[in-house]
Amino acid sequence: MRADVKRLVLEVCTGIVCYNGVLLLAAVCLRLSSDILLGLILGGILAILAFVHMAAVSDQTLDLKAEEPARKKATIHAMLRMVVLIAVLIVTMRVPYFNTVAVVVGILGLKAGAYLQPMIHKLRNRHE
């Protein structure tokens, strides 16, 4: 992975961790059940893994010379990511240890991480 892509991944993952950290802190303060806490943790982990996979696939497709193979590879991997996330959600519906809604809220940390990335980038550049 290129250095600029690694930096972006680190910044977005930091945003995901911050988002889920705030939610976990709120859940602990509100004394919510352990299945909600575990669901938020699992959702955060899935968000990080999904973003790292997206970045790696994007980096690989940029190396392909032709447009059609790059589009095909990106589409296949996007569908694969979606299938894995849906499978995990189906499993969490069957397992009493995870709250499925909390897993989805944790996965939404991917969006929050993307929105927080510019701010994290500015903070990081200020300290370097």
Side-chain angles (χ1 to χ4, degrees):
M1 217 182 286
R2 295 176 179 93
D4 57 337
V5 175
K6 285 182 184 178
R7 176 178 243 204
L8 176 71
V9 168
L10 180 64
E11 291 169 353
V12 173
C13 288
T14 302
I16 294 169
V17 169
C18 289
Y19 168 84
N20 281 303
V22 168
L23 290 178
L24 282 168
L25 184 63
V28 168
C29 289
L30 294 172
R31 297 179 186 199
L32 298 179
S33 62
S34 63
D35 65 327
I36 294 175
L37 297 174
L38 290 173
L40 288 172
I41 293 168
L42 178 62
I45 291 169
L46 289 171
I48 290 171
L49 292 174
F51 186 72
V52 169
H53 184 255
M54 273 189 256
V57 169
S58 295
D59 199 40
Q60 291 170 3
T61 56
L62 288 174
D63 292 336
L64 296 175
K65 302 296 181 208
E67 182 180 341
E68 190 58 34
R71 185 181 345 202
K72 192 174 188 179
K73 180 177 184 121
T75 302
I76 288 169
H77 283 276
M79 297 301 287
L80 178 65
R81 249 188 330 274
M82 193 61 61
V83 167
V84 168
L85 288 175
I86 290 170
V88 169
L89 288 175
I90 290 171
V91 169
T92 60
M93 286 182 201
R94 308 267 188 249
V95 177
Y97 302 112
F98 299 100
N99 183 307
T100 307
V101 175
V103 174
V104 171
V105 170
I107 292 171
L108 289 176
L110 180 57
K111 193 160 257 325
Y115 286 132
L116 289 171
Q117 185 271 333
M119 183 182 71
I120 293 168
H121 182 75
K122 282 181 186 176
L123 289 172
R124 193 168 176 214
N125 283 344
R126 192 178 338 166
H127 294 299
E128 286 182 357

